[in-house]
Every structure is written in structure tokens, then in C-alpha cells.
Amino acid sequence: MKHTLDKKTNLFIVLSGIFLTNALIAELVGTKIFSLEKTFGFNPAQLQLFGDWVLDFNLTAGVVLWPVVFVTTDIINEYFGKEGVKKISYLTVAFISFAFVVINIVTWLEPAQFWLDINNKTATGEDFDMNFAFNKVFLQGAAIIVGSLVAFLVGQLLDVFVFHKLRKVTGSKYLWLRATGSTLVSQLVDSFVVLFIAFYLLAPESSQWSVAQVGSVGVINYIYKFIIALALTPLLYIAHYLIDNYLGKDKSEQLMEEAAESSSSFF
């Protein structure tokens, strides 16, 4: 007898796939730091915050993809409630941790000599160590990994909590308010937790940031996330429209009501 997945299950699989894929890639590309101003042809911002720290919008490349995770979190929240978000968040932490373990194991493997030889020059003829470059790109410090994963999980759980607190007030109306509001609150915490753990709490004394530096960089990161969260609000309505068409209006409303009822108590 042939069994087929229902539309609700298919929807959760697709949303979970989008969530997990973007979160994992964001973690992997996070070692690259880019200049937001220069990318768009502007001069560095040179903002002075908390004393002598003058900062520009130099951001991890992961911020390109994290907004997709934020939006997907809110959609899963809307249709599957706190249990749906908690389930995929815990799985994502486990899969990202597994990915970093595999990456560390791979970097211990002795490189083949022919691979080093055919990649030993840059395009301009300068000497190039392919194995060193590979390790430099993919390896991240344990403090950064721990800080990132703790901040991610705390942010996700806080997002769930705020989202459904707002839904009690708004009912099924004002999707933009509960979705954007929960993201702004959760990312405010996320922006500082990751920096505090990675560069202050667990950092060696020789490279430990001051509290002022943590605060300054955290503010810069949050300003970016704040703007992006507002800019992506229309995507929530587009996603809502597509899902409603896929499930059917009655099924869609039923799922949202079930999600709201199941999330009436956070724990």
C-alpha cells in the first residue's frame, strides 16, 4: 500500500530544510568578514561608541543568510507553534556541531602531495599553501563555535516566547508585529550573547575583548539586524500567501489556531 505525506508534513519538511540549510551555511561562511559600506560603494561609517572604539559595519558573511533563518523561524512559529521551532532549533544545533566535528577531523588528514603541487601558485604566480588556506577558512575557534550555538539557541527560544506573547494580544491579526517584534527582541540578545561568550568569557586573556568593545560591536551588529528585520517584513506576507494557497484557507487557519493553543504555555 502506497503511503504519501500530507501537506502539513511536507510543509514542515520544506521549512525545516530551508531553516537548517541556511543556518549551517551561515555558520560555515561566518569566518569571512566583509565591509557592508564598501560592498555598496560607501565610505566606512566610523561610528564612535562606548569610549574610544571607532567602528565600521564590518560583518560576518553569515549575516547574509541569518535573516532567512529569522523569517523561517517566524513562519514555523505561525503554523507549528513553539514545539515546531524548538524541535528544528535543537536539531540544527546538533547538526552544526556534527559539521564542525567532521571539519576538524578532515583538517587532521594528511594532504596528498599532488593536490598541494597543482595548487601551489596564485593567479599572479605567488607561492600558495592550499592546505593552510583550507584549514584557515574552515576551522573556527571553539569559543566562537560555543558562543554562536548558545546565542542561536537562546535567541530561538526567546523568539518563540515573544512571538506567542504578542499573538495572545494580536490574535490572528498583525503578523508583522509579532514576527518582526519577536525577531527584534531575540536578536538584541543574540547579538551580545555570542560576542560576550566568544570574545570575553571564553577568550584567552591575551585576546580578550573589553566590555566596551563587546558592547560597541554588539550595537553595530544589532543595527544591521534591526534594519534587515524591518526590510524583510513583506516576505512574511508573501510566504503566508503561498502557504495558505498550498494548504487551503481552512487548513491553514486550523494549523495556526492549533499552533497558538499548543503554545499557550511556553514550557
Side-chain angles (χ1 to χ4, degrees):
M1 182 177 179
K2 183 177 181 180
H3 295 276
T4 57
L5 298 176
D6 60 21
K7 288 186 175 182
K8 176 183 176 181
T9 304
N10 282 330
L11 176 62
F12 187 72
I13 290 173
V14 171
L15 291 175
S16 298
I18 295 171
F19 183 101
L20 175 59
T21 300
N22 283 278
L24 178 57
I25 295 175
E27 288 286 351
L28 294 179
V29 302
T31 53
K32 179 171 182 175
I33 307 298
F34 73 100
S35 168
L36 183 65
E37 302 100 327
K38 290 182 179 180
T39 298
F40 290 99
F42 299 114
N43 292 324
Q46 291 289 284
L47 299 178
Q48 185 168 347
L49 302 171
F50 301 111
D52 297 330
W53 296 107
V54 179
L55 298 171
D56 305 320
F57 281 90
N58 296 323
L59 304 166
T60 169
V63 300
V64 175
L65 292 169
W66 280 121
V68 179
V69 178
F70 305 157
V71 170
T72 310
T73 297
D74 292 326
I75 297 170
I76 294 175
N77 238 336
E78 184 79 348
Y79 289 95
F80 297 96
K82 74 175 191 301
E83 291 304 324
V85 175
K86 288 167 68 176
K87 181 181 295 183
I88 188 57
S89 296
Y90 292 143
L91 285 172
T92 299
V93 169
F95 291 150
I96 289 175
S97 300
F98 173 73
F100 281 124
V101 169
V102 172
I103 288 170
N104 274 272
I105 292 173
V106 167
T107 58
W108 295 339
L109 301 177
E110 190 66 25
Q113 189 59 47
F114 84 90
W115 181 66
L116 296 175
D117 292 340
I118 63 176
N119 293 292
N120 66 357
K121 297 291 182 181
T122 66
T124 56
E126 298 170 335
D127 290 338
F128 183 72
D129 187 334
M130 185 64 171
N131 193 55
F132 175 81
F134 180 93
N135 294 348
K136 194 70 173 178
V137 168
F138 283 104
L139 284 179
Q140 297 188 37
I144 296 175
I145 295 171
V146 171
S148 179
L149 292 179
V150 170
F152 165 76
L153 195 54
V154 170
Q156 288 298 110
L157 297 178
L158 184 59
D159 190 289
V160 173
F161 177 77
V162 175
F163 184 95
H164 288 287
K165 285 295 183 182
L166 291 174
R167 199 181 197 286
K168 283 185 178 180
V169 177
T170 63
S172 60
K173 299 178 180 179
Y174 306 116
L175 170 63
W176 66 270
L177 178 60
R178 58 183 177 274
T180 305
S182 62
T183 297
L184 293 179
V185 173
S186 65
Q187 292 313 304
L188 175 62
V189 175
D190 177 280
S191 297
F192 291 94
V193 169
V194 61
L195 296 174
F196 179 77
I197 293 176
F199 299 106
Y200 183 81
L201 187 64
L202 299 182
E205 189 173 346
S206 59
S207 59
Q208 186 182 56
W209 289 9
S210 67
V211 174
Q213 189 172 8
V214 169
S216 297
V217 176
V219 168
I220 290 290
N221 287 341
Y222 185 65
I223 290 173
Y224 169 83
K225 293 176 181 178
F226 186 98
I227 294 171
I228 293 298
L230 295 179
L232 290 181
T233 300
L235 287 182
L236 291 166
Y237 286 91
I238 294 173
H240 210 291
Y241 172 79
L242 294 174
I243 292 171
D244 286 352
N245 281 345
Y246 173 68
L247 294 175
K249 190 67 175 177
D250 292 341
K251 181 64 175 177
S252 177
E253 291 179 354
Q254 179 187 346
L255 268 184
M256 287 188 286
E257 287 303 317
E258 291 175 354
E261 291 175 6
S262 67
S263 302
S264 58
S265 175
F266 181 61
F267 295 104

